[in-house]
Amino acid sequence: MILGLETSCDETAAALVTEDGHIRSNVVSSQADLHARFGGVVPEVASRRHLELVTPVVRDALDRADASLDDVTRIAVTRGPGLIGALLVGLSAAKALAWARGLPLVPVDHLHGHVASLYLQPSPVEPPFVCLLASGGHTLVLDVRDRSSYSVAGTTLDDAAGEAFDKGARLLGLGYPGGAELDKLASRGDPDAFDFPVARVPGLDFSFSGLKTALLYKVRELEPGELEERRADLAAGYQRAIVTAL
């Protein structure tokens, strides 16, 4: 059984997965409330919180899987990309467990991990396929020919879609996490009320910086009272432009 650790950003996570892809347990401890006061993830704060949480999260994952470290045959851990300090906490914990138990240590690329989640039971997807990877800091179109690798067919030329959501939420004066707050507000708005641009770049690449600038100008054009009245419409139009590009 594989014990996997993930500490690339603001969530401390551990999971027990069988060699054939069945999830025995999956424990995720979020720091969203901790970082909300800052309007975003503070790397140093995230690292220190990971230090506090990594051991309890691993213990919880083992308990939920009704397993012990004696049942673990290898340790997998996110090696990047991510926040350096946060990654080091997970890597150090994984190295310590692997060394103490004499187990193989498997470093996992964060982005490849997103793709590999499609291979988990009970409904694994088998290559070849095209994958749209739209996480917080990455927007990619991937050509996946086998389980061990992928090639990048398209990427973002500037902001990722997730960053566009967060920056748009900040421009609209919304709380953290911005993406969730913007989506909630957009559900009450008219996506046709404002005409936001959708970048059409060559090939399969993306661009969201122009959209963010367009929202900035719209916000500046509106008087405070009108901005408050039309905030939901702005969110709806902005969100639709991001989704249309994807």
Side-chain angles (χ1 to χ4, degrees):
M1 190 155 47
I2 303 165
L3 170 61
L5 298 179
E6 148 64 21
T7 62
S8 63
C9 191
D10 65 334
E11 292 181 333
T12 313
L16 273 297
V17 184
T18 62
E19 295 284 347
D20 60 352
H22 285 88
I23 302 172
R24 292 282 299 276
S25 66
N26 180 35
V27 178
V28 180
S29 181
S30 174
Q31 301 179 21
D33 291 342
L34 183 63
H35 297 278
R37 74 189 78 170
F38 306 110
V41 178
V42 180
E44 177 66 16
V45 174
S47 302
R48 292 180 181 276
R49 188 59 175 151
H50 283 309
L51 280 171
E52 298 171 353
L53 291 173
V54 65
T55 298
V57 164
V58 169
R59 286 175 174 162
D60 192 11
L62 288 167
D63 288 343
R64 295 191 188 194
D66 193 22
S68 71
L69 287 175
D70 292 335
D71 300 307
V72 176
T73 55
R74 68 184 75 188
I75 310 290
V77 60
T78 304
R79 64 169 176 82
L83 302 176
I84 298 299
L87 287 166
L88 283 173
V89 175
L91 282 164
S92 297
K95 287 179 179 180
L97 285 168
W99 182 84
R101 307 293 299 189
L103 298 173
L105 179 69
V106 183
V108 178
D109 179 270
H110 180 174
L111 303 182
H112 200 170
H114 282 300
V115 179
S117 67
L118 297 171
Y119 307 141
L120 295 171
Q121 300 290 347
S123 302
V125 178
E126 290 300 328
F129 56 81
V130 173
C131 175
L132 171 63
L133 196 166
S135 66
H138 302 89
T139 302
L140 301 164
V141 176
L142 305 176
D143 180 11
V144 184
R145 297 303 176 98
D146 57 65
R147 286 193 172 200
S148 63
S149 64
Y150 58 79
S151 60
V152 177
T155 185
T156 179
L157 304 179
D158 37 63
D159 291 340
E163 292 172 320
F165 267 106
D166 288 339
K167 291 177 180 178
R170 195 171 296 119
L171 288 172
L172 291 172
L174 304 179
Y176 176 85
E181 292 298 316
L182 192 144
D183 178 62
K184 189 187 305 180
L185 179 62
S187 67
R188 307 198 302 269
D190 177 8
D192 296 316
F194 292 94
D195 184 23
F196 285 106
V198 177
R200 301 297 184 187
V201 295
L204 297 174
D205 290 332
F206 302 92
S207 174
F208 296 103
S209 63
L211 172 62
K212 180 189 64 179
T213 303
L215 177 62
L216 173 63
Y217 287 152
K218 294 288 187 186
V219 169
R220 287 178 176 177
E221 289 170 4
L222 298 175
E223 295 295 330
E226 187 180 6
L227 173 60
E228 187 60 37
E229 291 177 2
R230 309 201 66 185
R231 201 183 300 270
D233 292 340
L234 286 167
Y238 184 78
Q239 176 172 265
R240 187 174 72 169
I242 295 174
V243 174
T244 298
L246 295 177

